[in-house]
Amino acid sequence: MNPLAGFVTSTIVALALLLTLSPAAALFVFVVDISGLIVFVAVKAIPASRLVSLLWPLGLMAVLSAGSTVLYGRPGGEVFFTWGLVCISQGSLYLAATIGLRILAIGIPAVVLAAVVDPTNLADSLTQLWRAPRRFVMGTLAAFRLLSLFVDDWHHLEMARRARGLGSGRGPVAAVARFGGQAFALLVLSIRRASALALAMDARGVNNPSPSRARTAEWKLRDWGFVTLALAISCVALVIAAFEQAQGGAF
């Protein structure tokens, strides 16, 4: 699948959910997302252990958002409990369910796509299919590739400073001073690496108006199929929301 197809499909479904305040519509999309995750694990596109490690922060975010909405959301309908600023009502429970399910329904495809999509293929598709500015796209791709080096650089700087006897004091003041000095050293190292990378990219003709291509990005029939499926899911979600509104729910 073309990386842009995944981006377009997730965006279409997210926009449909943002237009509604229906927990039933969000629940429908959430069930579709779970079905897709089961298929991903079944075909071994992504390991189940990695999937759990990627999605547990999203689940925690959904629970915290729903919990705060239950306690402090706008009251409406029957009030079940009240104490100071806390007011648990039918309206706050309805809104909490909507927010929690919507976070999961929108966030699951985004997190999974970010984990499985190759940034290089995405950059090729952006420059070839959407005619995005090549210099900006390639610069962003290079920066994304260098993010993984920051952790290694931080550990290397920490070991080098310890070997030289720098920042060996204890206490909060020494910790802040040690962090500031190491962060400044990382900034200097990053600027030097970025300058060298910029020169290398210019030498390779990144800004060439007619560059050569090692890979050709294609938009195939299956990509149209994914977009069509996303449109169908969005339409069903909107129909569910409209039906819920007709039955007296919120839209």
Side-chain angles (χ1 to χ4, degrees):
M1 182 179 68
N2 190 288
L4 289 180
F7 172 76
V8 172
T9 53
S10 61
T11 302
I12 290 174
V13 176
L15 289 176
L17 288 180
L18 290 176
L19 293 175
T20 71
L21 280 176
S22 168
L27 178 61
F28 166 73
V29 178
F30 175 68
V31 171
V32 174
D33 291 341
I34 295 299
S35 302
L37 292 181
I38 295 174
V39 173
F40 264 70
V41 174
V43 300
K44 299 181 179 180
I46 182 171
S49 57
R50 187 187 180 196
L51 199 61
V52 173
S53 64
L54 289 173
L55 294 180
W56 76 263
L58 183 67
L60 179 62
M61 184 187 305
V63 171
L64 293 177
S65 300
S68 60
T69 305
V70 168
L71 298 177
Y72 306 108
R74 184 176 60 184
E78 183 181 356
V79 176
F80 303 109
F81 176 78
T82 180
W83 181 69
L85 297 177
V86 177
C87 181
I88 301 177
S89 64
Q90 187 177 3
S92 63
L93 291 174
Y94 188 93
L95 187 59
T98 303
I99 291 176
L101 289 172
R102 190 161 62 176
I103 289 175
L104 293 174
I106 295 176
I108 287 176
V111 171
V112 173
L113 285 174
V116 301
V117 168
D118 184 12
T120 303
N121 293 335
L122 179 60
D124 290 336
S125 299
L126 286 172
T127 55
Q128 297 179 31
L129 299 178
W130 282 9
R131 299 294 188 270
R134 181 177 176 83
R135 190 180 187 90
F136 173 78
V137 173
M138 293 303 168
T140 304
L141 174 62
F144 182 82
R145 290 295 191 186
L146 291 178
L147 282 176
S148 59
L149 297 178
F150 279 178
V151 178
D152 295 335
D153 291 339
W154 183 266
H155 291 314
H156 293 161
L157 286 172
E158 186 176 10
M159 290 187 293
R161 290 171 64 86
R162 286 182 178 179
R164 299 175 62 183
L166 299 176
S168 58
R170 296 182 178 180
V173 177
V176 171
R178 181 169 60 252
F179 177 84
Q182 193 166 325
F184 181 75
L186 181 63
L187 175 63
V188 173
L189 180 61
S190 301
I191 293 175
R192 289 178 178 177
R193 180 179 288 136
S195 300
L197 181 61
L199 291 175
M201 293 176 68
D202 283 337
R204 290 174 177 265
V206 171
N207 203 31
N208 190 349
S210 56
S212 59
R213 296 170 180 173
R215 295 167 300 274
T216 301
E218 298 179 352
W219 187 275
K220 300 181 180 179
L221 183 61
R222 62 181 179 182
D223 299 319
W224 285 115
F226 279 106
V227 175
T228 304
L229 179 62
L231 289 173
I233 293 173
S234 301
C235 291
V236 173
L238 292 175
V239 169
I240 292 174
F243 179 77
E244 186 177 2
Q245 183 192 24
Q247 298 298 321
F251 186 79

